[in-house]
Amino acid sequence: MAQTIVGFSFSVLLALSMAWGAAALWFRLPWARDKRRLAVACWGTLALGLLLLGLRGEWLANAAQLLLMSALLIWWFRLRPTHDRPWSDDVAYLATGEVQDNQLTLHHVRNFDWRTRDEGVVHWEARSYDLDRLDSVDMVVSSWGRPGVAHVMISFGFEGEQFVIFSVEVRRLKGERFSEIGGFFRQYELAIVAADERDAVGLRAKVRGERVSLFRLTMSRNAMRSLLLAYVEEANALAESPRFYNTIIANCTTLIFAMAREIGARLPLDYRLLVTDRLPGYAFKVGGLWPGYTLPELEASGRIDEQACQVHRDPAYSRLIRRSVPGWAPPEERQLARNS
């Protein structure tokens, strides 16, 4: 009896492994869809036949499955990320930066004028920022109706005059669509994009019609500077050595969490780090959001998508989308506060 249970359990594990192998082939074979479909069908037919034989006690069938999985895993672990592919325009370049004295220069800051979700006027530029003027960090959360799923970006402000937003994204090929499932199977490389807020926020609020919220984070100036430089260091490292995106362990949230821990933040593990549309609740729990408000109040005041659509062409875009956000004060009010 025990031998039968062990044999059945072993067959189930092999079946699950072969199913994973089918998904790996589908998402990673560099072939046209028809050829990939044929390859996966052949793999699945062979796996099913060997499984049935294995359940009947044919140990050679189990041995054959092990050999097939071994060959597949050798291929899988030889896959390497690369920078040399025909990338979509919005991730054609990765952000890099350098600091001289107190001046941060970012290269390849994206500043597109989006017409549709896939097309826009392409413009990349270098921008400089005075680190002594860095005085705010905001978390931007964009969701599009899928339960538990959201995209998280971090924006740095320089006395209300300049803003740069960082977005950890998949590096898609031209014409390629994002798949959460494909993100488990090394389908995409990782990208760190530095962008103008009108680009990154406007794309999601105005063009894609997503729900976008902005939350001011409570951080000391030293912590703000450390986090910004951690982004620059991570971006430089990624530009030097490509990495695969992973839906769970290397995405827009986990990289932020890792960088925050690296600069000394004592952040506990929490399921909301994976259920990304719940991230504001996590930030509120650890005391990271602007004080004096409840979470529902911060969520209601932080909705910026409608305002972002209305002021899309306004030169004061970044200021105007923050008008109702707790913690935001225009530069004029800051100056009056300093003089009083």
Side-chain angles (χ1 to χ4, degrees), residues 40 43 135 145 160 167 186 191 194 240 258 266 271 278 327 336 339:
V40 172
W43 175 272
D135 67 349
S167 178
R186 298 186 173 185
E240 183 70 23
R266 297 180 178 179
Y271 79 95
R278 301 287 185 88
L336 287 174
N339 295 336

Side-chain angles (χ1 to χ4, degrees), residues 210-267:
E210 296 176 7
R211 173 184 177 133
V212 184
S213 300
L214 188 146
F215 303 88
R216 178 133 300 192
L217 302 181
T218 56
M219 303 177 70
S220 68
R221 286 211 175 199
N222 284 339
M224 294 177 191
R225 182 183 179 119
S226 294
L227 183 59
L228 174 55
L229 295 183
Y231 260 103
V232 175
E233 183 178 348
E234 188 73 22
N236 287 343
L238 186 62
E240 183 70 23
S241 301
R243 294 170 56 191
F244 283 121
Y245 174 90
N246 185 281
T247 301
I248 295 294
I249 62 173
N251 58 41
C252 64
T253 303
T254 56
L255 260 67
I256 297 171
F257 178 77
M259 285 186 284
R261 276 194 160 185
E262 284 175 6
I263 67 172
R266 297 180 178 179
L267 299 176

Side-chain angles (χ1 to χ4, degrees), residues 35 45 81 86 95 97 106 194 305:
K35 290 184 178 180
T45 301
L106 291 178
D305 41 288

Side-chain angles (χ1 to χ4, degrees), residues 119-334:
E119 296 181 358
V121 177
V122 175
H123 186 64
W124 299 88
E125 58 194 40
R127 291 188 179 184
S128 294
Y129 307 89
D130 185 347
L131 292 174
D132 286 337
R133 301 184 69 196
L134 174 63
D135 67 349
S136 69
V137 179
D138 298 313
M139 179 174 67
V140 179
V141 181
S142 179
S143 56
W144 51 95
R146 294 190 184 181
V149 179
H151 184 65
V152 180
M153 302 177 286
I154 298 295
S155 180
F156 296 88
F158 299 80
E159 295 184 351
E161 297 289 349
Q162 285 182 292
F163 295 87
V164 61
I165 190 166
F166 283 87
S167 178
V168 177
E169 304 184 1
V170 299
R171 204 172 189 191
R172 297 175 295 108
L173 303 179
K174 286 184 179 293
E176 187 177 35
R177 292 289 184 183
F178 173 62
S179 163
E180 287 90 351
I181 298 175
F184 288 102
F185 292 95
R186 298 186 173 185
Q187 185 175 4
Y188 312 105
E189 276 79 3
L190 192 67
I192 295 180
V193 176
D196 187 275
E197 287 192 329
R198 192 195 313 273
D199 172 327
V201 176
L203 170 63
R204 289 163 173 84
K206 184 175 177 60
V207 178
R208 296 180 181 171
E210 296 176 7
R211 173 184 177 133
V212 184
S213 300
L214 188 146
F215 303 88
R216 178 133 300 192
L217 302 181
T218 56
M219 303 177 70
S220 68
R221 286 211 175 199
N222 284 339
M224 294 177 191
R225 182 183 179 119
S226 294
L227 183 59
L228 174 55
L229 295 183
Y231 260 103
V232 175
E233 183 178 348
E234 188 73 22
N236 287 343
L238 186 62
E240 183 70 23
S241 301
R243 294 170 56 191
F244 283 121
Y245 174 90
N246 185 281
T247 301
I248 295 294
I249 62 173
N251 58 41
C252 64
T253 303
T254 56
L255 260 67
I256 297 171
F257 178 77
M259 285 186 284
R261 276 194 160 185
E262 284 175 6
I263 67 172
R266 297 180 178 179
L267 299 176
L269 293 173
D270 192 286
Y271 79 95
R272 285 168 289 195
L273 294 167
L274 301 179
V275 186
T276 46
D277 69 346
R278 301 287 185 88
L279 195 62
Y282 172 79
F284 182 82
K285 176 186 175 182
V286 299
L289 300 187
W290 198 258
Y293 298 84
T294 66
L295 179 60
E297 288 172 338
L298 291 170
E299 289 176 329
S301 300
R303 279 289 301 274
I304 64 169
D305 41 288
E306 291 186 9
Q307 184 70 12
C309 293
Q310 294 169 7
V311 302
H312 186 69
R313 296 295 179 186
D314 198 296
Y317 178 85
S318 289
R319 297 191 202 178
L320 294 175
I321 63 175
R322 288 173 166 78
R323 283 191 299 191
S324 63
V325 175
W328 161 251
E332 313 83 62
E333 292 184 16
R334 302 181 193 197

